[in-house]
Amino acid sequence: MTIKTTLLAASISLAGLMASSAAYAQQPVNVSYNVAEGSSWHQGAERFRDLVADYSEGAFQVRLHPNAALAGGSDRVEMEMTQSGAIHFLIKSTTWMTGLDSRYQVLGLPWLFPDHDTANAVLDGQAGDTLLQDLEQQDLVGLAWGVNGFRQVTNSRGPITEPADLDGLRIRVPGIELYLAIFEELGASPTTMNFAEVFTALQTGAVDGQENPLSLIWSSRFHDVQDHVTIWNYSYDALAFIGSGPVWQGLSEEDQDMFRRAAKEAMDFQREVVKQEDIDLVAELENAGMVVTTLSDDQLSAFQEVLAPVYEQYKESLGEDFVSLFEEGVAAQQ
């Protein structure tokens, strides 16, 4: 069956469920995310499943689909199936969601957020609400914020303590303009590739390094093919818990409130998991043989100075008033 046929069949099936929430409540609820079991995403989804079972008194049966299994592992197909209603709820990194709306790049601006608590407070406020509301134009409903983690850099060449250490470093980055601009400004040689190809590229020396949150560095076993990791928290990677617009419209207001409450509580739990992982995994990576370099404030200031033009460039392109919502939110937490 083709993807198009699958989506059409799902839409036809969904149409029969729109008459009432009571009819829909007899059906399973699919939650999709393109990472493996055991990850913080999966733990958050498990909490959502349990909360929905409790709050709905068993009326809804949540089924979890790690590794984007319903979409054949494709992020793009996963999103399209959510927009059509074939997938009911989706957990997605906002790094990937910049393809839907370039304004999601604001969350990755260099050192915008100083820590997890500040980032959580800002995203749970007006600034984060503004981003989630934009999803309505994409047949999606933003329900809650989670976190993938602060992004760190690994490499096989040596410790990174100053911008000069990145000179000529062949580093894999996500296919997002902001990350390409950051590493080009630092003198590195950034390249993009599918995440599934990264381990082999590191193993064969096709690239020298990559950047990702510690949880993904650990679960992907990059410590087997990389010698060094630098802790610099240079960019924040959030998660959005998203509902399908067509499915959401078929729910009663009571059920919408229930799902929103469960999503928020599940993602608050997931945030705490990642916050602890960012502490615990430093020692785990050291025990696995990696050399961990944590940058001091003085060392960080040298990188921030180099990247100041990139920050200002993207503040202008994303909209100064829009970026100021986040800056003011951060300032209010200090």
Side-chain angles (χ1 to χ4, degrees), residues 31-39 41-42 64-75 78 92:
V31 180
S32 182
Y33 39 97
N34 201 6
V35 296
E37 293 184 32
S39 65
W41 302 31
H42 183 73
L64 307 183
H65 302 277
N67 299 312
L70 293 176
S74 169
D75 289 291
E78 185 185 42
K92 182 60 64 180

Side-chain angles (χ1 to χ4, degrees), residues 121-243:
V122 173
L123 288 175
D124 288 343
Q126 180 185 1
D129 288 346
T130 299
L131 270 180
L132 289 182
Q133 288 166 6
D134 287 350
L135 293 176
E136 296 175 7
Q137 303 171 29
Q138 306 280 350
D139 290 326
L140 302 167
V141 181
L143 301 179
W145 290 106
V147 59
N148 206 21
F150 283 96
R151 301 180 77 90
Q152 321 298 353
V153 63
T154 72
N155 83 101
S156 58
R157 197 168 74 176
I160 295 173
T161 61
E162 59 182 0
D165 293 329
L166 283 160
D167 188 40
L169 187 79
R170 296 168 301 168
I171 183 168
R172 182 269 178 182
V173 300
I176 298 170
E177 292 180 2
L178 173 63
Y179 288 128
L180 289 166
I182 285 173
F183 283 94
E184 287 171 355
E185 192 73 17
L186 288 169
S189 179
T191 187
T192 63
M193 66 181 68
N194 291 331
F195 183 75
E197 302 171 3
V198 176
F199 186 93
T200 300
L202 295 170
Q203 188 177 42
T204 61
V207 292
D208 301 312
Q210 63 81 50
E211 55 73 62
N212 263 298
L214 289 181
S215 58
L216 198 53
I217 291 170
W218 176 255
S219 63
S220 302
R221 299 195 64 85
F222 289 153
H223 50 278
D224 288 341
V225 290
Q226 297 273 265
D227 298 323
H228 299 272
V229 57
T230 297
I231 308 298
W232 62 338
N233 291 353
Y234 88 102
S235 181
Y236 183 77
D237 190 351
L239 300 179
F241 195 105
I242 301 166

Side-chain angles (χ1 to χ4, degrees), residues 36-114:
E37 293 184 32
S39 65
S40 67
W41 302 31
H42 183 73
Q43 292 178 60
E46 288 181 316
R47 180 61 63 95
F48 176 75
R49 177 194 61 198
D50 295 343
L51 289 170
V52 168
D54 182 22
Y55 294 155
S56 72
E57 297 181 347
F60 290 91
Q61 181 185 15
V62 174
R63 295 180 177 177
L64 307 183
H65 302 277
N67 299 312
L70 293 176
S74 169
D75 289 291
R76 176 184 59 80
V77 174
E78 185 185 42
M79 182 62 72
E80 290 174 353
M81 292 179 69
T82 306
Q83 290 170 310
S84 75
I87 289 174
H88 308 125
F89 296 100
L90 173 67
I91 304 173
K92 182 60 64 180
S93 166
T94 52
T95 301
W96 190 90
M97 288 171 61
T98 57
L100 287 179
D101 185 346
S102 63
R103 296 207 303 174
Y104 275 88
Q105 291 182 102
V106 67
L107 303 180
L109 285 173
W111 293 284
L112 172 65
F113 296 116

